[in-house]
Amino acid sequence: MKMVLIGHRGTGKSHLLERLKVYFHDKSNLKFFDLDREIEFREGKTINQIFNEVGEETFRSLETKVFHQLIQQHSEFVISLGAGFSLQEIP
Protein backbone atom coordinates (compact mmCIF):
# COMPACT_ATOMS: atom_id res chain seq x y z
CA MET A 1 0.00 0.00 0.00
CA LYS A 2 1.18 3.49 -0.87
CA MET A 3 -0.97 6.29 0.52
CA VAL A 4 -0.43 10.03 0.71
CA LEU A 5 -2.74 12.17 2.86
CA ILE A 6 -3.34 15.65 1.48
CA GLY A 7 -5.58 18.48 2.61
CA HIS A 8 -5.79 22.00 3.91
CA ARG A 9 -4.13 23.07 7.15
CA GLY A 10 -6.05 21.94 10.23
CA THR A 11 -8.25 19.34 8.51
CA GLY A 12 -6.96 16.39 10.54
CA LYS A 13 -4.33 14.76 8.32
CA SER A 14 -2.02 14.03 11.25
CA HIS A 15 -4.92 12.72 13.34
CA LEU A 16 -6.01 10.43 10.50
CA LEU A 17 -2.41 9.19 10.21
CA GLU A 18 -2.49 8.17 13.88
CA ARG A 19 -5.83 6.37 13.40
CA LEU A 20 -4.46 4.50 10.39
CA LYS A 21 -1.49 3.34 12.48
CA VAL A 22 -3.94 1.65 14.85
CA TYR A 23 -6.09 0.24 12.04
CA PHE A 24 -3.13 -1.23 10.13
CA HIS A 25 -1.06 -2.23 13.18
CA ASP A 26 -0.74 -5.82 11.92
CA LYS A 27 0.75 -4.84 8.55
CA SER A 28 4.44 -5.08 9.45
CA ASN A 29 5.91 -3.57 6.26
CA LEU A 30 3.70 -0.48 6.33
CA LYS A 31 5.52 2.66 7.55
CA PHE A 32 3.81 5.85 8.72
CA PHE A 33 5.25 9.35 8.36
CA ASP A 34 4.07 12.85 9.11
CA LEU A 35 6.28 14.77 6.68
CA ASP A 36 6.53 17.86 8.88
CA ARG A 37 7.53 15.77 11.92
CA GLU A 38 10.07 13.87 9.83
CA ILE A 39 11.64 17.13 8.66
CA GLU A 40 11.73 18.46 12.23
CA PHE A 41 13.42 15.25 13.41
CA ARG A 42 16.03 15.33 10.67
CA GLU A 43 16.80 19.04 11.03
CA GLY A 44 16.52 19.28 14.84
CA LYS A 45 14.30 22.36 14.50
CA THR A 46 10.61 23.16 14.24
CA ILE A 47 9.02 23.80 10.85
CA ASN A 48 8.55 27.46 11.82
CA GLN A 49 12.23 27.82 12.72
CA ILE A 50 13.34 26.22 9.45
CA PHE A 51 10.86 28.27 7.42
CA ASN A 52 11.93 31.55 9.09
CA GLU A 53 15.65 30.80 8.75
CA VAL A 54 15.79 29.71 5.12
CA GLY A 55 12.60 31.07 3.54
CA GLU A 56 9.80 29.34 1.71
CA GLU A 57 11.65 28.34 -1.46
CA THR A 58 14.46 26.56 0.38
CA PHE A 59 12.01 24.96 2.81
CA ARG A 60 9.90 23.62 -0.07
CA SER A 61 13.03 22.12 -1.65
CA LEU A 62 13.88 20.40 1.64
CA GLU A 63 10.29 19.18 1.97
CA THR A 64 10.37 17.70 -1.53
CA LYS A 65 13.75 16.08 -0.93
CA VAL A 66 12.62 14.37 2.29
CA PHE A 67 9.36 13.21 0.64
CA HIS A 68 11.22 11.59 -2.25
CA GLN A 69 13.71 9.95 0.12
CA LEU A 70 10.85 8.42 2.10
CA ILE A 71 9.05 7.00 -0.93
CA GLN A 72 12.30 5.61 -2.34
CA GLN A 73 13.36 4.00 0.95
CA HIS A 74 10.02 2.33 1.75
CA SER A 75 7.90 0.10 -0.44
CA GLU A 76 4.73 0.48 1.65
CA PHE A 77 3.87 3.73 3.39
CA VAL A 78 1.33 6.29 4.51
CA ILE A 79 2.63 9.87 4.46
CA SER A 80 0.76 12.91 5.76
CA LEU A 81 1.86 15.98 3.81
CA GLY A 82 2.02 19.59 4.93
CA ALA A 83 -0.68 21.85 3.53
CA GLY A 84 1.71 23.71 1.22
CA PHE A 85 3.24 20.64 -0.40
CA SER A 86 3.30 20.79 -4.20
CA LEU A 87 1.00 18.06 -5.54
CA GLN A 88 3.09 17.93 -8.74
CA GLU A 89 5.79 16.23 -6.65
CA ILE A 90 3.64 13.15 -6.03
CA PRO A 91 4.52 10.46 -8.58
Side-chain angles (χ1 to χ4, degrees):
M1 171 190 306
K2 296 179 182 182
M3 182 184 299
V4 177
L5 305 176
I6 60 173
H8 293 284
R9 183 175 294 128
T11 58
K13 297 178 301 289
S14 296
H15 181 71
L16 177 58
L17 181 70
E18 294 304 316
R19 291 182 67 189
L20 291 172
K21 282 182 189 179
V22 173
Y23 186 77
F24 291 112
H25 71 278
D26 60 338
K27 197 156 170 49
S28 62
N29 290 337
L30 189 58
K31 305 297 181 198
F32 298 87
F33 300 98
D34 181 308
L35 186 57
D36 284 348
R37 301 298 79 78
E38 185 68 20
I39 292 168
E40 288 177 337
F41 175 76
R42 291 178 182 207
E43 296 296 311
K45 300 176 184 178
T46 68
I47 294 299
N48 285 336
Q49 288 172 321
I50 299 166
F51 203 90
N52 290 333
E53 289 175 10
V54 301
E56 182 172 4
E57 186 176 331
T58 301
F59 172 76
R60 296 297 174 201
S61 294
L62 173 62
E63 184 180 49
T64 299
K65 175 184 166 190
V66 172
F67 173 75
H68 285 286
Q69 287 173 347
L70 290 174
I71 65 173
Q72 290 171 359
Q73 292 170 353
H74 305 281
S75 60
E76 296 190 49
F77 55 80
V78 179
I79 302 175
S80 173
L81 301 179
F85 190 84
S86 174
L87 299 182
Q88 288 80 15
E89 294 298 332
I90 302 172

